[in-house]
Amino acid sequence: MFFDIIANFFYSEKIKELIKREIAPELGLELLDAPCGTGTLFDICRPCNYTGIDIDENRVLEAQKRYAAGNFFVSDASKLSFSEKKFDLILAAGLFHHVDDECAAKILSEFSRVLKPTGRVIIFEAIWPRHRYNIVGYL
């Protein structure tokens, strides 16, 4: 998939190490990866109880094929169907640059609803270069 080419470029091994260090995966930890894409970050989230959501059905189908041990669902992050206080950790890598402020507020509200009181949200986003002539930064 074209998505995998972009994801593998964006999620270098160094970036994956940084995310894994912040996640501190452990057995029994309930983790939501939103959006999960094709499951790019599944392996670094092990041994957590992994749930991945993505709005793109084809990406979810690919993730389900690749990672049978994960739970993958087609879902809009602004309208989660999970019960309240289900997750210990929510990973939102590359989500918020796709939505406007109103949608981001809905997503954060949903994250708050499904996050346990002692839970954490990790948001990881690309930061665009400030100077418009920074071609390398845009790449």
Side-chain angles (χ1 to χ4, degrees):
M1 291 185 88
F2 180 70
F3 174 83
D4 291 324
I5 294 168
I6 300 298
N8 288 330
F9 178 76
F10 185 68
Y11 296 115
S12 67
E13 289 307 310
K14 184 173 182 170
I15 296 296
K16 285 181 180 180
E17 285 176 28
L18 289 170
I19 294 171
K20 185 172 184 166
R21 186 182 70 215
E22 290 304 315
I23 292 171
E26 61 184 65
L27 193 61
L29 191 73
E30 294 290 336
L31 182 141
L32 174 63
D33 183 5
C36 65
T38 58
T40 306
L41 300 177
F42 176 80
D43 285 333
I44 68 166
C45 296
R46 300 300 292 156
C48 295
N49 294 328
Y50 178 97
T51 300
I53 64 163
D54 202 288
I55 202 162
D56 186 308
E57 181 179 7
N58 291 325
R59 292 179 189 164
V60 170
L61 290 171
E62 186 63 30
Q64 289 170 334
K65 280 193 261 182
R66 291 179 186 179
Y67 305 104
N71 298 303
F72 296 95
F73 304 99
V74 176
S75 180
D76 180 338
S78 68
K79 302 173 205 156
L80 297 172
S81 60
F82 303 109
S83 61
E84 292 185 13
K85 300 173 180 36
K86 175 175 176 46
F87 296 101
D88 298 295
L89 179 65
I90 299 174
L91 174 61
L95 170 62
F96 288 100
H97 70 271
H98 290 289
V99 301
D100 61 24
D101 290 350
E102 183 180 340
C103 186
K106 288 178 184 175
I107 291 169
L108 291 171
S109 178
E110 280 294 276
F111 284 0
S112 179
R113 184 183 66 77
V114 300
L115 193 66
K116 293 178 181 177
T118 58
R120 298 178 300 135
V121 176
I122 297 173
I123 298 172
F124 178 78
E125 282 292 330
I127 299 173
W128 297 108
R130 291 183 181 195
H131 195 279
R132 65 180 174 185
Y133 298 116
N134 184 351
I135 295 169
V136 173
Y138 281 102
L139 292 175

